[in-house]
Amino acid sequence: MLDYQTALNQLLTAVAERRTLVHATPLREASARVLAENIHAQYDSPQFDNSAMDGYALHTNETAVQTEFTVIGRIAAGDDAADFELNMGQAVRIFTGAPIPAGCNAVIAQEQTEINGNVLLCTSPPQLNQHIRRRGEDIHAGDALLEAGQILSPAAIGLATSQGHAHALTHSPLRVTVFSSGNELREPSTKGLIGGEIFDANRYQLLTWLQQLGCTVTDGGILPDHRATTETCLQAAAATSDLILTSGGVSVGEEDHLKAALEASGELVQWKLLLKPGKPFAWGRMVHTTVMMLPGNPVATFVTFKMLVEPAVRVLMGMSFEQAQPHMVTARADFAQTQPEFRREFLRGVMHIDADGVVHVKKLVNQGSHMLSACVAANVLIEIPPHTQVNVGDTLNVYPIHS
Ligand SMILES: Nc1nc2c(c(=O)[nH]1)N[C@H]1C(S)=C(S)[C@@H](COP(=O)(O)OP(=O)(O)OC[C@H]3O[C@@H](n4cnc5c(N)ncnc54)[C@H](O)[C@@H]3O)O[C@H]1N2
Ligand code: MOO
């Protein structure tokens, strides 16, 4: 059985060859897509020296003690400042974002002034260069702005459009079909469960995570514990999906048909990890489609999604390995765990920062792999390496899960 980190690296390396296709995309429609090209600045930013305040642009003396100026005009945002050149003791009315005129060496906010006709009195002497935003002080034309493999966050889209980029090469959204598997499963709309029936806890969880990641999702429904039907449904989904996710039916029981269906229709690449929960995680391929099979216990589905599937989805969407990896921080254990596990374990925990700025983590009580309530109460997964006893005060790796 592979360790988690080895399995993750192998999975990411394999799916990196199957990133989605690249298209020129209007940035207005590129939300949550991954950039497929480096984008450079076309202009200095700010593009011209401009005012940071509504007030007056001045030409004050070098010792900056002058308080009285003559107002000779007005420049608003969008105006051209070329009509004005300030001599010592002159000012123009100016507004935030308006270009400052030649000769201006300070801007004063209107709250620090009194105006009498065209005579401006400053209630305190303006300092040289104050409130002037200088050309290029943020970005120079030609600077690297955004890198291929980076997600187009709202701020990234704002930055690109602020530089006159209307389109960018991006990866297409990942098409994912999600199945649950098991005769016991019922839709949440079902009225009155009988016998051993239960509501589906995994499919809606997975569909929601994938939607949040910007995937185009298809709900494949519930597969019965029937080998031929499972195969037919997987094959049909493979024709229209870049990725198929299933949960359940991947362990060793007689009614666990998923692995066999994949082997018959494609290739099973990896099965079973030294991971708790999530040991029976499996993945493989059907022609152009990647298939990942998550264990049915709802917390095993949650943990394998966050620690394996989500990073792989990010790579398939075009992200670099570095950006696709689960985000990790360290925290001080506020608990002890005295029974070492042979599998790497990811516990559900709550992280908080105390008054001294120390990051603490405690483990929640309900740690069973069927106890989904703790996945909602938790804000981190706590990593416990194999054969490790945890003492209070130990430094542990934790993975924020709702960010
Ligand atoms: N003899 C062994 N039994 C089991 C082993 C093992 O190594 N040897 N591994 C255990 C581990 S670890 C896990 S995890 C589970 C995973 O099994 P499967 O992936 O085959 O899942 P199922 O057997 O179908 O279901 C397990 C459990 O989860 C419930 N389930 C399944 N799907 C859903 C769903 N969509 N919503 C809510 N609950 C679901 C199912 O009813 C079962 O209770 O196997 C262990 N057994
Ligand atoms: O992966 Mo299982 O949920 O360890 O029991």
Side-chain angles (χ1 to χ4, degrees):
M1 277 196 277
L2 291 182
D3 180 47
Y4 161 70
Q5 199 60 48
T6 310
L8 177 64
N9 289 342
Q10 287 184 1
L11 177 62
L12 298 190
T13 306
V15 297
E17 291 166 16
R18 293 171 164 239
R19 290 190 165 109
T20 57
L21 298 176
V22 168
H23 299 282
T25 314
L27 284 171
R28 247 186 333 172
E29 296 163 20
S31 162
R33 290 207 189 190
V34 177
L35 202 53
E37 62 175 339
N38 296 331
I39 292 190
H40 290 91
Q42 311 194 93
Y43 303 94
D44 289 342
S45 177
Q47 278 165 253
F48 45 85
D49 291 355
N50 69 88
S51 174
M53 289 285 177
D54 295 327
Y56 295 87
L58 317 164
H59 185 152
T60 186
N61 54 13
E62 289 300 306
T63 48
V65 290
Q66 195 168 353
T67 54
E68 192 174 313
F69 298 85
T70 307
V71 179
I72 61 165
R74 180 182 192 275
I75 309 172
D79 288 352
D80 192 338
D83 295 346
F84 299 98
E85 177 162 0
L86 300 182
N87 295 314
M88 179 98 71
Q90 290 185 323
V92 287
R93 179 82 170 110
I94 201 157
F95 300 93
T96 307
I100 62 164
C104 167
N105 59 8
V107 167
I108 189 156
Q110 62 196 46
E111 295 87 330
Q112 272 100 51
T113 64
E114 287 165 14
I115 190 83
N116 189 357
N118 66 347
V119 177
L120 173 74
L121 285 174
C122 301
T123 49
S124 60
Q127 301 298 301
L128 278 175
N129 294 312
Q130 74 175 17
H131 303 320
I132 300 175
R133 306 195 288 207
R134 293 292 177 191
R135 174 178 182 157
E137 71 180 5
D138 185 21
I139 296 164
H140 287 107
D143 281 356
L145 273 190
L146 300 171
E147 273 184 24
Q150 176 170 359
I151 192 108
L152 283 167
S153 64
I157 289 177
L159 185 63
T161 55
S162 79
Q163 284 287 327
H165 294 284
H167 294 80
L169 289 180
T170 71
H171 289 270
S172 325
L174 191 71
R175 300 166 306 157
V176 192
T177 301
V178 180
F179 292 103
S180 290
S181 162
N183 285 346
E184 73 277 29
L185 300 178
R186 293 289 173 270
E187 293 294 343
S189 53
T190 306
K191 296 279 175 277
L193 299 177
I194 49 170
E197 293 176 350
I198 59 169
F199 293 119
D200 189 339
N202 294 347
R203 211 166 88 247
Y204 295 94
Q205 186 191 162
L206 293 173
L207 289 166
T208 308
W209 283 119
L210 292 162
Q211 274 160 357
Q212 285 185 6
L213 286 167
C215 299
T216 304
V217 293
T218 302
D219 182 356
I222 298 167
L223 298 169
D225 290 325
H226 184 262
R227 162 80 182 273
T229 310
T230 301
E231 250 178 77
T232 309
C233 291
L234 289 183
Q235 284 164 7
T240 57
S241 311
D242 304 306
L243 174 66
I244 295 174
L245 294 187
T246 66
S247 71
V250 76
S251 187
V252 292
E254 286 156 26
E255 299 294 351
D256 294 339
H257 300 288
L258 268 289
K259 266 189 317 49
L262 175 58
E263 279 169 322
S265 318
E267 180 194 1
L268 175 70
V269 177
Q270 172 65 40
W271 178 49
K272 281 196 178 171
L273 305 177
L274 285 165
L275 178 64
K276 183 182 178 182
K279 182 177 64 179
F281 178 81
W283 71 272
R285 306 180 180 102
M286 291 170 67
V287 196
H288 299 296
T289 305
T290 304
V291 183
M292 296 185 200
M293 302 186 152
L294 286 62
N297 279 321
V299 183
T301 291
F302 180 90
V303 168
T304 53
F305 183 83
K306 293 304 288 178
M307 301 308 295
L308 291 155
V309 178
E310 186 174 270
V313 164
R314 290 192 166 132
V315 170
L316 286 163
M317 289 167 65
M319 278 196 210
S320 62
F321 279 20
E322 293 69 34
Q323 298 199 30
Q325 296 278 346
H327 176 53
M328 190 268 284
V329 293
T330 55
R332 179 192 179 281
D334 281 356
F335 63 95
Q337 173 130 318
T338 49
Q339 274 182 325
E341 245 292 327
F342 73 99
R343 294 183 273 170
R344 188 172 301 270
E345 190 168 9
F346 288 94
L347 299 168
R348 275 63 65 209
V350 175
M351 178 176 84
H352 81 279
I353 302 173
D354 70 17
D356 298 324
V358 178
V359 182
H360 295 256
V361 68
K362 65 174 182 171
K363 128 182 159 173
L364 290 167
V365 176
N366 291 352
Q367 291 291 338
S369 65
H370 56 300
M371 295 174 167
L372 196 53
S373 61
C375 294
V376 176
N379 60 12
V380 287
L381 291 174
I382 311 168
E383 178 175 3
I384 312 290
H387 310 295
T388 304
Q389 174 167 326
V390 177
N391 298 308
V392 172
D394 285 355
T395 300
L396 298 174
N397 294 341
V398 299
Y399 297 80
I401 49 179
H402 297 301
S403 53

